[in-house]
Amino acid sequence: METCYIRVAEDENEEPMEIPSEEDGTVLLSSVAAQFPGACGLRYRSPVSQCMRGVRLVEGVLHAPDADWGNLVYVVNYPKDNKRKMDEMDAASAVKIKRGIQKTSDLIVLGLPWKTTEQDLKDYFSTFGEVIMVQVKRDVKTGNSKGFGFVRFTDYETQIKVMSQRHMIDGRWCDCKLPNSKYFLEQAGLDEPMRSRKVFVGRCTEDMTVDDLRQFFMQYGEVTDVFIPKPFRAFAFVTFADDQVAQSLCGEDLIIKGTSVHISNAEPKHNNIHHLFSNFPGRSPSLAAMFERSQYQYPSSHV
């Protein structure tokens, strides 16, 4: 029999690719897998019933339905676990694209000598790279320094370098950190929820463990803590080392172990509690009410 080509695609709506058949009219699964790695079979939509039908596979050889491949488009089958992993990878890639270029954050400078001025701060940190902003926090009444300030750089690489070491400023060792402490955020007039390193993971399933969540979210950045409430309440908290990683994930729907979970800020406003659960399967009012009662009762390390 003359070699023919069958049309194969990953989805019915995608442009198909032609795969060569063998002399006897069959198609080797290896020929399909060469173009679609991980493929384990083919299926097609019956012109008669309009239902999807599987192509017979015997020892790695695909046999044409009714001895004729015809002009149909055959869709690739993947193992369920492989398809799940591909979906998770696609979701992860989409988030990473969204994150794009890392942006710099305001860094808090701790341990400043009382005499250090904003000009002193700028002169020192300019040796590392271009400085966008410096500020020394002062008492409103006395005008005296509070012993800490803020600095922001143009380049993210500079920010990382500055955070990785201690700094001798005006004869005193100082540290630069991301301003995640509630006290320092209040002093700086920053909105704490907007700077949180913690995210709320909604729509979790009972088979998701702390290790599962930690391993999944580590692809985005360093994870410092994972907390799943007990008894199980269909949500969890994940804390990152970098607040920008946490904020970049907020609003995303990610696939974990085949389940779509929703990522949001870990400090939902009281009037948004019911809205948060409105998309949860079953839309249980009691679940929202239970969360309202319990959201401030967790240990401080997990809230």
Side-chain angles (χ1 to χ4, degrees), residues 15-191:
E15 182 178 356
M17 173 183 291
E18 292 188 332
I19 303 293
S21 68
E22 301 303 302
E23 291 184 357
D24 60 359
T26 61
V27 173
L28 299 179
L29 180 59
S30 58
S31 297
V32 177
Q35 305 301 324
F36 302 92
C40 66
L42 295 175
R43 65 185 186 275
Y44 66 99
R45 188 171 298 281
S46 169
V48 178
S49 67
Q50 292 302 307
C51 294
M52 297 301 292
R53 291 182 178 178
V55 174
R56 188 160 63 95
L57 173 66
V58 180
E59 297 182 350
V61 178
L62 292 158
H63 296 265
D66 301 324
D68 182 14
W69 291 105
N71 198 36
L72 300 173
V73 173
Y74 294 86
V75 181
V76 178
N77 288 335
Y78 292 100
K80 185 175 181 181
D81 288 343
N82 283 9
K83 181 63 166 60
R84 180 180 298 170
K85 289 178 181 178
M86 289 175 64
D87 289 343
E88 291 179 356
M89 290 173 61
D90 289 344
S93 298
V95 174
K96 289 178 180 178
I97 292 173
K98 176 185 174 183
R99 288 173 60 191
I101 300 174
Q102 291 273 25
K103 295 182 180 180
T104 58
S105 304
D106 293 346
L107 300 180
I108 187 167
V109 186
L110 303 172
L112 286 177
W114 308 120
K115 65 178 182 179
T116 301
T117 65
E118 292 182 350
Q119 187 60 50
D120 295 333
L121 213 56
K122 184 173 184 179
D123 291 343
Y124 174 80
F125 284 112
S126 292
T127 61
F128 293 89
E130 184 179 354
V131 175
I132 298 176
M133 176 277 298
V134 292
Q135 182 183 31
V136 174
K137 295 304 292 184
R138 300 183 180 278
D139 185 274
V140 177
K141 295 181 179 179
T142 65
N144 295 331
S145 170
K146 290 186 177 182
F148 69 94
F150 294 90
V151 62
R152 185 165 189 165
F153 297 93
T154 301
D155 298 322
Y156 186 76
E157 291 73 16
T158 303
Q159 172 178 310
I160 296 300
K161 182 179 179 181
V162 169
M163 291 173 59
S164 68
Q165 63 187 77
R166 303 195 74 193
H167 304 273
M168 178 64 72
I169 302 176
D170 287 340
R172 187 172 179 180
W173 284 110
C174 301
D175 294 298
C176 286
K177 302 178 180 294
L178 289 168
N180 296 305
S181 163
K182 182 177 181 179
Y183 168 77
F184 289 114
L185 287 170
E186 290 176 348
Q187 294 295 316
L190 299 175
D191 185 10

Side-chain angles (χ1 to χ4, degrees), residues 1-15:
M1 181 182 291
E2 183 181 351
T3 300
C4 67
Y5 290 83
I6 69 170
R7 301 195 300 165
V8 180
E10 285 194 334
D11 186 270
E12 286 186 281
N13 298 320
E14 291 184 359
E15 182 178 356

Side-chain angles (χ1 to χ4, degrees), residues 83-100 212-221 240 245 248-250 252-261 263:
K83 181 63 166 60
R84 180 180 298 170
K85 289 178 181 178
M86 289 175 64
D87 289 343
E88 291 179 356
M89 290 173 61
D90 289 344
S93 298
V95 174
K96 289 178 180 178
I97 292 173
K98 176 185 174 183
R99 288 173 60 191
D212 289 335
L213 295 181
R214 185 182 298 276
Q215 288 297 321
F216 179 83
F217 284 103
M218 279 175 57
Q219 64 184 301
Y220 301 107
F240 293 91
V245 174
S248 71
L249 292 173
C250 289
E252 293 291 338
D253 290 302
L254 305 177
I255 300 174
I256 302 178
K257 300 188 75 171
T259 299
S260 176
V261 300
I263 313 300

